[in-house]
Every structure is written in structure tokens, then in C-alpha cells.
Amino acid sequence: MLYPLISLPPQLSASLKEETDCHLQKIIRANITSRYACSSSHLVDFRLAIADKDVKEDSTLSDFRRLVPLTDYEAYRPWLAKFMERPCKLSEVENLLAPGLPSYLGVSSSTSGSAPKHLARDFGSSSGFALTAKLAKREGSLAGTTAGILSLCYRDVVDITSNYGEVVKRIPVCIGSTAIWRNSAGWSIETDNTRMASMSE
């Protein structure tokens, strides 16, 4: 019989804390120059506390934990809504929540009863999904015991345009598993028509 752990041994607990701190510090360093980090009202006190620090060198974890409040989706909704504007201007969304542009816009399942929520995601931030996809692809042991039903379609496409109206990037709006599986298969939006035509033949 297996019994769940109710607490971690001290060595494992310390290792987990160290790994968590390291990961959080990397997230802060990577995103500190985003427009959200530079202007969100939720981060005012944090920005003031680290104004004289070199975030790339100094640890800011204690300041972050002390000064950054817990937030819900409403804190990010106005920022993410910029991706849904038509046209979606590069000047409005580049470096918005993280450096550059997201790989895809994740969409929630609406199980909370509200309208779907959009989340700007990057494939690097979805490593858990990616690992699951790799393992499932590599391990044939699941065959015959598990039926994986996937949708590989997207709900929408956001065309990011320059000030001159030129499309500089196309970002799919889809559930996370769809984005990860499409990315692992090398399926881009631009090649969908060719792929579907070859399948119908």
C-alpha cells in the first residue's frame, strides 16, 4: 500500500526551495523590462524597492515576495485584450508581458462559467506540456491502453501588423495542448492549407 507524503524530508525541502527560488529569479530577470513590469500598478512598490539594484546580479526575491500582491486574471485582462484588437499592432503588443511576442495565445476552457480567458504563452514556458508530449510520442507502452483525443485546430489567428499594415507574425489562439502538439510536429499556420490538401488527396 502506498501512503502519500505529508511533509518533505529537510534535505528535499531545502532542495525544492532552492529550485523554486532559482526559477522565480529567472522569471523576474527575464521579464523585468516588459511593459507590464515597467508600468503595472500592481508592481509600483516592487519597482521602487529595486530601483537601485542590478536585477541581473542582485537577488530580488525577498522584495518580490514582500511587495508583489497576489493577482487574478483581471489584473492582466486589459493587457491581454490588446492582442484581440483588430488590427493588432506590433507597437502595442511587442514586449508587453514578456520580451518579444508570444508563441501562441492560450485560451481557457470556460469551465468557471465566465468568458474564455486568453493567456500569452511561449513554448519555453510550457515545458511540462512539451515533456509530456515527447514522452507520449516516444513511449509506445501507452498504445492499447489509452486513447488520446486531440484537437489540432486553432480557434482564431491573430495577425500582428507593423505600422504600415504588413503582417509580421501570425499567432494562433488555441488550447495549450494543441499549441504544444502542433509545435512538436513542426506544423505552422502558414503550412496548414498545404497539409490539409495533401491529406485530402
Side-chain angles (χ1 to χ4, degrees):
M1 180 169 267
L2 298 174
Y3 296 96
L5 288 173
I6 56 172
S7 66
L8 294 175
Q11 184 178 0
L12 189 54
S13 181
S15 177
L16 179 61
K17 182 185 182 312
E18 182 181 343
E19 185 68 27
T20 302
D21 287 354
C22 181
H23 189 62
L24 180 56
Q25 188 70 46
K26 283 180 185 176
I27 292 171
I28 293 169
R29 288 176 179 158
N31 298 297
I32 197 67
T33 58
S34 71
R35 287 198 266 174
Y36 179 83
C38 292
S39 58
S40 168
S41 61
H42 294 95
L43 300 177
V44 171
D45 293 335
F46 179 62
R47 284 194 301 271
L48 291 172
I50 65 167
D52 297 329
K53 294 183 179 178
D54 180 356
V55 178
K56 301 292 182 192
E57 299 295 327
D58 299 333
S59 174
T60 54
L61 291 179
S62 60
D63 294 320
F64 183 87
R65 288 190 169 114
R66 183 171 49 91
L67 299 169
V68 177
L70 289 175
T71 54
D72 60 16
Y73 186 76
E74 293 309 312
Y76 308 96
R77 186 184 298 275
W79 298 81
L80 289 158
K82 292 176 184 289
F83 285 103
M84 297 299 125
E85 293 173 2
R86 299 296 193 267
C88 181
K89 298 279 189 186
L90 178 65
S91 59
E92 292 291 316
V93 295
E94 188 173 31
N95 304 319
L96 193 62
L97 297 162
L101 293 169
S103 302
Y104 67 99
L105 294 173
V107 61
S108 71
S109 61
S110 304
T111 50
S112 62
S114 60
K117 297 174 180 71
H118 293 98
L119 308 161
R121 302 298 307 266
D122 188 69
F123 288 120
S125 67
S126 308
S127 56
F129 268 134
L131 180 59
T132 303
K134 279 183 187 175
L135 289 174
K137 200 173 185 181
R138 192 181 72 205
E139 300 292 329
S141 60
L142 296 179
T145 58
T146 303
I149 300 173
L150 301 171
S151 167
L152 298 177
C153 64
Y154 36 83
R155 297 183 183 187
D156 197 2
V157 176
V158 174
D159 288 332
I160 309 293
T161 60
S162 68
N163 290 335
Y164 304 105
E166 174 191 4
V167 175
V168 294
K169 184 169 182 178
R170 305 190 78 206
I171 300 177
V173 179
C174 57
I175 59 174
S177 58
T178 296
I180 297 303
W181 281 98
R182 286 177 62 90
N183 182 60
S184 66
W187 289 7
S188 68
I189 293 170
E190 291 76 16
T191 60
D192 274 355
N193 286 340
T194 305
R195 184 177 314 102
M196 292 307 291
S198 68
M199 287 180 183
S200 64
E201 290 173 7

